[in-house]
Amino acid sequence: MSSQAEHDLTLIPGPIEFDDQVLNAMSHPTVAHTAKPFVSTFSQVLKSLRTLFFSKDPKAQAFVIAGSGTLGWDIVSSNLIEAGENALVLNTGYFSDSFADCLGVYGAKVDQLRAPIGDRPGLNEIEAALKSKNYKIITITHVDTSTGVLSDIKAISEVVHKVSPDTLVVVDGVCSVGVEEIRFDDWGLDFVLSASQKAIGAPAGLSISFASARALATVESRKTPVASYFASLLRWAPIMRAYESDKPAYFATPAVQNVYALHEALRQITSGGESAIVERFKVHQHASDRVKDTVEGLGLKLVAVRRDIAAHGMSAVYLPEGVQNTDLLPWFLKHKVVLAGGIHKEIATKYFRIGHMGVSVTNPSLGHLDKILTLLPEAIKSAKN
Amino acid sequence: MSSQAEHDLTLIPGPIEFDDQVLNAMSHPTVAHTAKPFVSTFSQVLKSLRTLFFSKDPKAQAFVIAGSGTLGWDIVSSNLIEAGENALVLNTGYFSDSFADCLGVYGAKVDQLRAPIGDRPGLNEIEAALKSKNYKIITITHVDTSTGVLSDIKAISEVVHKVSPDTLVVVDGVCSVGVEEIRFDDWGLDFVLSASQKAIGAPAGLSISFASARALATVESRKTPVASYFASLLRWAPIMRAYESDKPAYFATPAVQNVYALHEALRQITSGGESAIVERFKVHQHASDRVKDTVEGLGLKLVAVRRDIAAHGMSAVYLPEGVQNTDLLPWFLKHKVVLAGGIHKEIATKYFRIGHMGVSVTNPSLGHLDKILTLLPEAIKSAKN
């Protein structure tokens, strides 16, 4: 393995810093994608995702497919909704906009409930929208990485089940799975899409999702064919079921080494069972509070309008008057720390982002969080001059 | 890095055996996908693909996207052809069938020229088909991994340019790029799709393709929108152009570690320039002859009906009378060698496949080829008893 010692500390909202053992697993020697050792590893990955999502429903199914997180939007848009049907997109930033774009590509009629920047649509507003029209799906960006706003998917799902029970509840969990609580069955969710490189803590390259029995039944009973080949849940479902029951199957070659890395990452998260996962969420909440206390202590403002709607795996922070990212980020880079600039179109130059997920949070001996919290005051002071 | 010493020798038509340095690169410490060191690496990857394809046209463009090889079919089917337009699929096996399926999902009207198993459609037949109808694209599976049949893409492209010059020439090069000669500009090709885990020699997880200026202009002048979001060349083209000119850009998070591994694999293939690439093809041809001489010397028959239409990176071989894959493959497994069974529906149980690509061929000191050629006679004898 390449030495991790020398590299710049990367605290962005993904890809995150990786554990040594996870990175080691990336260089696993070749294994046929149908050979027993790999099949068994993939089976464990799919099973551990049930644990991660607190799901006990045997008819729900995890999907792990080679691709970026973005592929998850295509999976939703080409499988769970048909051209001409209505989608309600709860918009909390850049990534909600893109999800809406993707839905449109596959012919969905998209309505957006757009919150002011840093806020999220209210439950009353969501209820009213759901009553106004038949929506096939509602999409919620659990954490919009462009604003750091956290949505209350449990409360939203309750509203959906109350006023529009046939609407599928779809969650973009790219920046939330592994750091924010998601009780898939209990909360009545239908589809959560995510990716490997954020709070799950494995290198980028895997689209990870979890579908309810109801979501899969919806795909099976479509009036029109699934609108994608590679992203078709109908093609992938038998493959995932086979691998999970320790049998090889083939539709497209899985990213073998990435799956080994994901296996190690998920082993670390789920081997302690549900209580360890709950503890993991708490540790991230505590770390998030430390970061947010520090930035607010410096007189900086979060993009999220209130602390209780801010994500726990990242912080989007407005720059102080007179400070530019073109000053701040290079200053950090000189100190061998990589932070992220803004990505929300309307405020891109006005804020920066810090990622605090995975080993950087759960393994304090690495000193990642201490380093950034020590550097922040100095950085702001220096950039102001 | 996990030790490579102990693992089963995997000689299947991909994923292949990987070089140590390529595997080392897979465990590269995290780097932001927009950070300078990664941008520079990705730039070199995109440039070296021009070398690999012998392309000098600055308006042609390489694409490297997180995904399986299969994603390449979606890229073609959702970008280069519109619903209702005609596609001519030259069918040389299972993978041609699947490509045709994928085209159909996106609404293409597909005609297939289906060769008998082990053969390929004749040039006269292709010419007649092209004259019978306006075809937007013709697809050729360069090497169909299910039969080991090699298509003559140069000759076919000549016919296309002669009798149907507006038809885009699309090559499925999943099992050919890096082992079979492909002169992209000289042969008038429009699109070659491939994947990382075969003759290119990097772990699975990357869809790799190369598009002509004409192919890109076709996408830009579509009457209907591109039929996919994640597979849209319109969305990816500016990203690839930016990275290649050493600027970060964002559409979806690239598989950072896989790109580092691909960088090392392509460095090894292309750093000696075109002459080294030509030499690489010769070395593979020689290795292929050794394998095929040995199997024919044992009285076994290739699935490919003639040696001159057989692929050079793999061999599909009929089992002798009375021998089953359920005997042969476990025998090899006991000797710590993994070969592949059949995959072509009509003959799946009647043949097996050997992969001979990449380091297993180019680095004789590993002894991979010697091992399989020594074991083969013993295996056949043992399986017959």
Side-chain angles (χ1 to χ4, degrees):
Chain A
M1 194 192 70
S2 317
S3 162
Q4 285 221 64
E6 287 299 305
H7 81 289
D8 290 346
L9 175 61
T10 302
L11 295 178
I12 64 175
I16 68 168
E17 289 287 334
F18 304 120
D19 175 76
D20 286 350
Q21 283 178 272
V22 171
L23 276 185
N24 275 353
M26 278 295 274
S27 54
H28 194 288
T30 203
V31 183
H33 48 301
T34 52
K36 251 187 186 162
F38 176 69
V39 174
S40 155
T41 299
F42 204 172
S43 170
Q44 289 166 41
V45 162
L46 294 166
K47 284 175 185 157
S48 63
L49 284 167
R50 295 185 187 274
T51 309
L52 183 60
F53 285 106
F54 298 86
S55 176
K56 302 267 191 291
D57 181 357
K59 287 188 175 162
Q61 183 61 52
F63 292 80
V64 175
I65 303 175
S68 302
T70 297
L71 179 64
W73 296 336
D74 287 72
I75 295 175
V76 169
S77 308
S78 63
N79 286 276
L80 301 184
I81 185 166
E82 304 188 41
E85 292 180 334
N86 300 311
L88 180 63
V89 171
L90 305 189
N91 192 311
T92 49
Y94 175 92
F95 290 91
S96 317
D97 280 330
S98 304
F99 199 167
D101 278 357
C102 180
L103 283 159
V105 163
Y106 290 93
K109 290 187 185 164
V110 180
D111 293 327
Q112 296 205 52
L113 280 187
R114 193 180 291 273
I117 293 172
D119 209 342
R120 58 191 198 189
L123 292 177
N124 290 342
E125 203 186 346
I126 296 167
E127 180 166 342
L130 287 167
K131 283 177 174 166
S132 73
K133 206 183 266 192
N134 278 329
Y135 285 106
K136 181 69 169 285
I137 66 172
I138 182 172
T139 75
I140 315 157
T141 311
H142 197 182
V143 170
D144 198 298
T145 319
S146 73
T147 55
V149 168
L150 173 69
S151 290
D152 187 348
I153 56 174
K154 181 188 178 193
I156 295 167
S157 186
E158 266 172 27
V159 171
V160 178
H161 285 278
K162 188 180 73 179
V163 304
S164 184
D166 290 339
T167 301
L168 297 176
V169 181
V170 174
V171 174
D172 176 341
V174 168
C175 197
S176 76
V177 173
V179 54
E180 309 289 355
E181 188 174 18
I182 303 179
R183 295 188 177 266
F184 192 87
D185 296 354
D186 291 354
W187 295 356
L189 308 180
D190 287 296
F191 199 84
V192 177
L193 63 101
S194 192
S196 44
Q197 78 275 9
K198 306 219 181 210
I200 291 173
L206 294 175
S207 155
I208 297 167
S209 45
F210 205 80
S212 70
R214 183 167 83 141
L216 295 172
T218 302
V219 189
E220 278 158 19
S221 60
R222 284 174 65 97
K223 296 181 290 286
T224 59
V226 171
S228 169
Y229 182 78
F230 183 60
S232 167
L233 292 178
L234 285 186
R235 295 177 196 268
W236 280 115
I239 307 297
M240 295 299 148
R241 289 188 193 117
Y243 271 103
E244 191 166 348
S245 15
D246 269 315
K247 294 184 199 87
Y250 179 72
F251 169 56
T253 306
V256 171
Q257 276 68 17
N258 300 66
V259 170
Y260 274 105
L262 177 62
H263 177 262
E264 174 57 23
L266 286 172
R267 189 194 65 71
Q268 293 180 11
I269 297 176
T270 64
S271 62
E274 294 192 354
S275 60
I277 299 174
V278 170
E279 181 58 29
R280 177 185 176 85
F281 298 150
K282 285 196 193 138
V283 170
H284 276 89
Q285 285 162 16
H286 178 69
S288 176
D289 281 339
R290 273 186 71 200
V291 174
K292 291 171 173 67
D293 287 347
T294 301
V295 299
E296 290 182 345
L298 290 166
L300 306 184
K301 264 181 64 183
L302 294 177
V303 173
V305 292
R306 297 191 314 276
R307 185 74 81 90
D308 67 314
I309 70 166
H312 300 104
M314 61 164 291
S315 300
V317 183
Y318 280 112
L319 293 158
E321 199 68 40
V323 173
Q324 312 289 327
N325 271 330
T326 44
D327 298 321
L328 189 71
L329 301 183
W331 187 94
F332 274 105
L333 203 52
K334 249 188 283 175
H335 291 76
K336 297 194 167 298
V337 174
V338 178
L339 300 183
I343 190 172
H344 192 295
K345 275 167 271 188
E346 293 172 45
I347 54 169
T349 59
K350 298 185 179 158
Y351 75 112
F352 67 104
R353 296 175 299 154
I354 309 169
H356 32 85
M357 288 175 260
V359 288
S360 295
V361 166
T362 58
N363 186 351
S365 73
L366 295 172
H368 293 178
L369 225 51
D370 290 342
K371 182 161 189 182
I372 183 75
L373 295 182
T374 308
L375 285 178
L376 257 173
E378 202 183 327
I380 298 294
K381 197 176 153 195
S382 158
K384 273 184 178 166
N385 295 333
Chain B
M1 196 193 66
S2 317
S3 162
Q4 286 221 61
E6 287 300 306
H7 81 291
D8 291 345
L9 174 60
T10 301
L11 295 178
I12 63 175
I16 69 169
E17 288 287 333
F18 304 120
D19 175 76
D20 287 349
Q21 282 177 274
V22 171
L23 277 186
N24 275 352
M26 278 295 276
S27 53
H28 194 289
T30 203
V31 182
H33 49 299
T34 52
K36 251 190 184 159
F38 176 69
V39 174
S40 155
T41 299
F42 203 173
S43 171
Q44 289 166 42
V45 162
L46 294 165
K47 284 175 184 155
S48 62
L49 285 167
R50 296 185 186 274
T51 309
L52 183 60
F53 285 105
F54 298 87
S55 175
K56 302 267 192 286
D57 181 358
K59 288 189 175 161
Q61 183 60 52
F63 293 81
V64 175
I65 304 175
S68 303
T70 297
L71 180 65
W73 295 337
D74 286 73
I75 295 174
V76 169
S77 308
S78 62
N79 286 276
L80 302 183
I81 185 165
E82 305 189 40
E85 292 180 335
N86 300 310
L88 180 62
V89 171
L90 306 188
N91 192 310
T92 49
Y94 175 92
F95 290 92
S96 317
D97 280 329
S98 304
F99 200 165
D101 277 357
C102 180
L103 283 159
V105 163
Y106 291 94
K109 290 186 183 165
V110 180
D111 293 328
Q112 296 204 51
L113 280 185
R114 193 180 291 272
I117 293 171
D119 210 343
R120 59 192 197 188
L123 292 177
N124 290 343
E125 205 186 342
I126 296 167
E127 180 166 342
L130 287 167
K131 283 175 174 166
S132 73
K133 206 184 265 190
N134 279 329
Y135 286 106
K136 181 67 168 287
I137 66 173
I138 182 173
T139 75
I140 315 157
T141 311
H142 198 183
V143 169
D144 198 297
T145 319
S146 73
T147 56
V149 167
L150 173 69
S151 291
D152 187 348
I153 57 174
K154 182 187 178 194
I156 295 167
S157 186
E158 266 171 28
V159 171
V160 178
H161 285 279
K162 190 180 70 179
V163 304
S164 184
D166 290 339
T167 302
L168 297 175
V169 181
V170 174
V171 174
D172 176 340
V174 169
C175 196
S176 76
V177 172
V179 54
E180 310 288 356
E181 187 174 17
I182 302 179
R183 294 188 177 268
F184 192 87
D185 297 355
D186 291 354
W187 295 357
L189 307 180
D190 288 296
F191 200 83
V192 178
L193 63 102
S194 193
S196 45
Q197 78 275 11
K198 306 219 182 213
I200 291 173
L206 295 175
S207 156
I208 296 167
S209 45
F210 204 80
S212 70
R214 184 167 80 142
L216 294 172
T218 302
V219 188
E220 278 158 20
S221 61
R222 285 175 64 100
K223 295 180 292 288
T224 59
V226 171
S228 169
Y229 182 79
F230 183 60
S232 167
L233 292 178
L234 285 186
R235 295 178 196 266
W236 280 115
I239 307 298
M240 296 297 148
R241 289 188 192 115
Y243 270 102
E244 191 165 349
S245 11
D246 269 316
K247 294 184 199 88
Y250 179 72
F251 169 56
T253 307
V256 171
Q257 277 68 14
N258 301 65
V259 170
Y260 274 104
L262 177 63
H263 176 262
E264 174 58 22
L266 286 172
R267 190 195 63 72
Q268 293 180 12
I269 297 175
T270 64
S271 61
E274 292 192 355
S275 61
I277 299 173
V278 170
E279 181 59 27
R280 177 184 176 85
F281 298 151
K282 284 194 193 139
V283 169
H284 277 89
Q285 284 161 16
H286 179 68
S288 176
D289 281 339
R290 275 185 71 200
V291 174
K292 290 173 173 65
D293 288 347
T294 302
V295 299
E296 291 182 345
L298 291 167
L300 306 183
K301 266 181 64 184
L302 294 176
V303 173
V305 293
R306 295 189 317 275
R307 185 76 81 91
D308 68 312
I309 69 166
H312 299 105
M314 61 162 292
S315 299
V317 184
Y318 281 112
L319 292 158
E321 198 68 40
V323 172
Q324 312 289 329
N325 270 331
T326 44
D327 298 321
L328 190 71
L329 301 183
W331 188 94
F332 273 105
L333 204 53
K334 248 188 283 175
H335 291 77
K336 297 196 166 296
V337 174
V338 178
L339 300 183
I343 190 173
H344 192 296
K345 273 167 270 185
E346 292 172 45
I347 55 169
T349 59
K350 297 182 179 159
Y351 75 111
F352 67 104
R353 298 175 299 154
I354 309 169
H356 32 84
M357 289 175 260
V359 287
S360 295
V361 165
T362 59
N363 186 351
S365 73
L366 296 172
H368 293 179
L369 224 51
D370 290 342
K371 181 160 189 184
I372 182 77
L373 295 182
T374 308
L375 285 178
L376 257 175
E378 202 183 328
I380 298 294
K381 198 177 149 193
S382 157
K384 273 185 177 166
N385 294 333

